[in-house]
Amino acid sequence: MAAVRAYFNNIWIALTTVAVGMKITFKHLFVPAVTLQYPDVKLKLPERARNRLYVNIDDCIGCDQCSMVCPVDCIIIETIKSTPDQDLGTTSTGHKKRLHVPVFDIDIAKCCYCGLCVYPCPTECIVMTDVYEFSEFDRNRLIYSFSIMTPQDIELAKEKLKKAEEEAAAKKAAATAAAAKAVQPSGAQALKPASPEPGTPEQPGNS
Amino acid sequence: MEALENLGVWGSILIAVVWSALPIVFILLYALVTLYAEMKIAAHIQDRLAYMRTGWHGTLQPFADILKLLQKEDTISSAADRKLFRLAPYVVFMGTYGAFSAIPFSSIYIGSNIDLGVFFIVAVSSLVVVGILMGGWASNNKWSIFGAMRSAAQMVSYEIPTALAILIAVMITGSLNLQDVTKFQEGGIHNWVVFGGPLPLTQKLLLIPFTLVTFIILFIASLAEVNRTPFDLPEAESELVQGFNTEYSGMRFAMFYLAEYANMFLVSAVTVALFLGGWTSPFGSFLSGPVWGLFWFIGKCLLLVFLQIWIRWTLPRLRVDQLMYTSWKVLTPFLFVCIFGVGLILVL
């Protein structure tokens, strides 16, 4: 008798549960879809979303900290020292710029979007934006160059530095020669190195 | 019409060809609509949108799908039995299309008004099993043969409840001719066989519980007959890739697909003709007539097709033993009781 009751009970449960399920799916037929029509409608990204890197090169002082901290080495920076007679201006954060930045390349294909480069930047010039649609057909197009220096500018800066260094070396040689002549008995002063430009050690741009 | 008849033999052949080609035109149109509707219903049940970019709300998607299928390469694996493999989709579609010839679409349109209409449909649609088994076997692929075996077992098992349920409707209406069965139910929704048919009130009231149960069982069995979820074991994409049509591509795959959708309509049409008044209007003589008949018939069928789609996106697939249990231990005994009950009531 129990088996018979279980048999009819099973059938009853089967029918009622099917009805319950179908009621739910029917309700969902009229629930507005959650789909976003992506290219037309975009999801608003969270405020601190990490996507494509952007460098405000006007504010870059060429300190190389972002490049050093990068775990995948996707940032390549080259710098040229400026000569004392050049004034490169100051950044928006008030730091004095002392280095030319002829190369500031980011290979965004390598970037792992960790955001570690953003934190050490003293002038907050490297930031992560909310742009995430930048696929390319050619991988090389994913290497972004942020430097605004033209080849002529770079050449000029290099030449100036070379000249300044030569002048400094000549000055230094002359100074050592004069010192050697003047203070022959006490030789201790001659070992002191003459720096080509006066630098303040707490400035990170002067490594 | 008369001008064609004057042409003699050729005229009558032309008439026959046009007459018999009407259902396929309908099937193609219906398949396009159902293809689209199924995806849309599925998506909205899951709170998605489905096609949105091909035409207005993706309405051109079925055409794009067909174009894609037409362009696809027709591959046949080297180990397959080439002749049977090529033949199988046509056998499946033939079985389905053959059955359409006895479906009364309207009071003036029925492919062939034969006296053994329902019997013919049950017999001819068994050809689908042969085709599926043929395709699965000829593919020479483990998934395909599993799918085909399951399909054969399932369809043979479920043919019994289907036949018994049809028998009950036939007992009440007293005819195997679907046109006669439909005419028997004329006069409004209360005369449909599912509500006891146009019999004296006491008989009708006694019949209603039996006919309702039979109708539900026929619907369940027909779901299994056309391999739709929750009885889609032959296809079972999560277990068997695509079951019997794993190896098929291009137009042959499309043929299987078309046959599946045509089959959905076919079983709905049989259920409608037997239980839901066929082409008769639910409001008696209001809105009745040959054209309205066509509208009512197709409307009722599409309602059942919608029900099939709705169930597909609600229920999970049954296990093989559960499938057999449902057929042999639940549906068949219930139908025996129903046959006994209906017979008793009709005799009294």
Side-chain angles (χ1 to χ4, degrees):
Chain A
M1 208 55 216
V4 174
R5 195 176 297 142
Y7 172 80
F8 284 105
N9 202 29
N10 274 342
I11 292 169
W12 179 246
I13 287 172
L15 285 174
T16 47
T17 48
V18 165
V20 167
M22 287 181 71
K23 215 169 93 185
I24 289 170
T25 46
F26 194 73
K27 254 187 229 159
H28 274 269
L29 204 53
F30 302 103
V31 168
V34 293
T35 313
L36 271 182
Q37 293 282 293
Y38 162 61
D40 307 333
V41 186
K42 284 175 191 168
L43 191 70
K44 199 186 172 302
L45 289 175
E47 204 183 317
R48 304 186 68 177
R50 300 198 304 256
N51 291 289
R52 182 155 77 170
L53 280 168
Y54 175 71
V55 177
N56 184 5
I57 199 70
D58 288 338
D59 273 3
C60 182
I61 56 173
C63 67
D64 208 32
Q65 291 194 52
C66 49
S67 164
M68 279 192 282
V69 82
C70 181
V72 291
D73 292 336
C74 72
I75 306 175
I76 292 160
I77 301 174
E78 279 173 21
T79 53
I80 300 170
K81 284 176 185 165
S82 65
T83 49
D85 59 311
Q86 280 177 311
D87 183 19
L88 298 180
T90 52
T91 66
S92 57
T93 49
H95 291 73
K96 197 160 162 45
K97 295 211 282 186
R98 287 165 205 286
L99 294 168
H100 295 283
V101 186
V103 177
F104 196 124
D105 286 359
I106 296 179
D107 189 347
I108 206 76
K110 282 189 199 164
C111 181
C112 65
Y113 307 98
C114 60
L116 286 177
C117 50
V118 175
Y119 306 116
C121 183
T123 61
E124 285 166 20
C125 73
I126 184 162
V127 286
M128 296 206 117
T129 58
D130 57 357
V131 181
Y132 51 87
E133 294 157 311
F134 49 90
S135 45
E136 296 281 358
F137 286 103
D138 183 4
R139 197 183 293 164
N140 289 326
R141 289 178 61 98
L142 286 169
I143 301 172
Y144 297 149
S145 297
F146 289 99
S147 179
I148 45 168
M149 286 180 85
T150 56
Q152 288 91 340
D153 288 347
I154 295 167
E155 211 51 47
L156 212 69
K158 274 184 182 166
E159 260 169 39
K160 266 198 163 169
L161 179 64
K162 210 175 162 193
K163 221 181 267 173
E165 271 174 351
E166 272 167 9
E167 271 172 23
K171 225 187 250 173
K172 190 184 155 192
T176 22
K181 215 182 271 174
V183 211
Q184 198 73 312
S186 61
Q189 213 183 345
L191 291 168
K192 216 174 185 179
S195 84
E197 58 173 340
T200 43
E202 71 271 22
Q203 286 280 346
N206 190 36
S207 55
Chain B
M1 223 42 169
E2 267 178 30
L4 284 168
E5 270 161 16
N6 288 339
L7 287 171
V9 183
W10 291 107
S12 49
I13 287 175
L14 192 65
I15 290 169
V17 167
V18 170
W19 199 245
S20 59
L22 283 177
I24 201 156
V25 174
F26 168 74
I27 288 171
L28 289 172
L29 286 174
Y30 147 86
L32 283 176
V33 173
T34 320
L35 211 71
Y36 177 75
E38 169 133 44
M39 286 306 127
K40 275 288 178 189
I41 291 167
H44 282 281
I45 278 177
Q46 296 163 358
D47 294 351
R48 296 181 289 113
L49 285 173
Y51 324 126
M52 289 297 281
R53 306 199 76 83
T54 36
W56 182 82
H57 277 242
T59 31
L60 296 176
Q61 188 68 35
F63 298 100
D65 278 345
I66 284 172
L67 214 64
K68 182 198 77 175
L69 281 169
L70 279 170
Q71 289 175 335
K72 276 201 170 178
E73 190 191 348
D74 181 20
T75 55
I76 301 176
S77 61
S78 56
D81 186 330
R82 294 179 79 88
K83 270 182 199 154
L84 288 185
F85 187 87
R86 283 169 174 220
L87 189 64
Y90 303 109
V91 172
V92 171
F93 189 72
M94 247 163 58
T96 309
Y97 193 59
F100 266 86
S101 61
I103 297 289
F105 278 91
S106 163
S107 50
I108 52 161
Y109 185 82
I110 178 166
S112 168
N113 196 8
I114 41 177
D115 285 340
L116 287 174
V118 203
F119 188 74
F120 174 78
I121 289 171
V122 171
V124 168
S125 60
S126 299
L127 210 64
V128 175
V129 194
V130 178
I132 287 174
L133 206 55
M134 201 186 263
W137 182 262
S139 294
N140 207 350
N141 169 315
K142 290 189 187 79
W143 307 127
S144 302
I145 192 72
F146 264 122
M149 294 293 212
R150 282 185 184 187
S151 165
Q154 175 179 326
M155 285 170 130
V156 167
S157 306
Y158 274 86
E159 223 140 72
I160 287 151
T162 313
L164 288 176
I166 288 172
L167 194 62
I168 288 170
V170 170
M171 277 164 75
I172 294 167
T173 55
S175 172
L176 281 165
N177 183 329
L178 280 177
Q179 200 70 287
D180 290 350
V181 169
T182 308
K183 276 177 191 147
F184 178 80
Q185 302 174 64
E186 258 181 329
I189 193 165
H190 55 278
N191 279 349
W192 293 359
V193 169
V194 71
F195 301 121
L199 296 171
L201 195 65
T202 42
Q203 252 186 338
K204 196 174 157 74
L205 286 178
L206 284 169
L207 271 177
I208 283 174
F210 293 108
T211 46
L212 272 176
V213 168
T214 315
F215 171 69
I216 292 166
I217 289 175
L218 179 61
F219 182 73
I220 295 171
S222 67
L223 269 183
E225 281 274 295
V226 295
N227 303 330
R228 291 284 295 184
T229 332
F231 306 105
D232 65 337
L233 289 113
E235 276 164 49
E237 56 245 44
S238 49
E239 314 161 26
L240 298 181
V241 192
Q242 261 294 319
F244 56 86
N245 52 30
T246 305
E247 293 283 352
Y248 283 89
S249 68
M251 266 332 269
R252 278 171 226 282
F253 177 74
M255 212 73 182
F256 271 124
Y257 221 73
L258 189 66
E260 188 194 320
Y261 277 90
N263 246 328
M264 274 164 72
F265 187 87
L266 177 71
V267 292
S268 300
V270 173
T271 315
V272 165
L274 287 173
F275 282 91
L276 300 180
W279 42 258
T280 65
S281 161
F283 314 112
S285 56
F286 180 60
L287 293 183
S288 64
V291 181
W292 277 110
L294 191 70
F295 167 77
W296 287 121
F297 185 77
I298 292 172
K300 286 169 189 173
C301 289
L302 289 184
L303 205 70
L304 283 187
V305 169
F306 168 72
L307 202 62
Q308 290 182 351
I309 294 171
W310 177 13
I311 284 175
R312 175 169 177 190
W313 299 104
T314 305
L315 299 178
R317 188 182 310 124
L318 261 67
R319 223 165 46 211
V320 181
D321 62 315
Q322 291 168 336
L323 180 91
M324 290 298 159
Y325 179 95
T326 316
S327 170
W328 295 108
K329 288 192 171 177
V330 181
L331 303 186
T332 312
F334 266 73
L335 281 172
F336 279 137
V337 172
C338 284
I339 287 183
F340 184 74
V342 170
L344 212 63
I345 293 161
L346 288 176
V347 167
L348 289 177

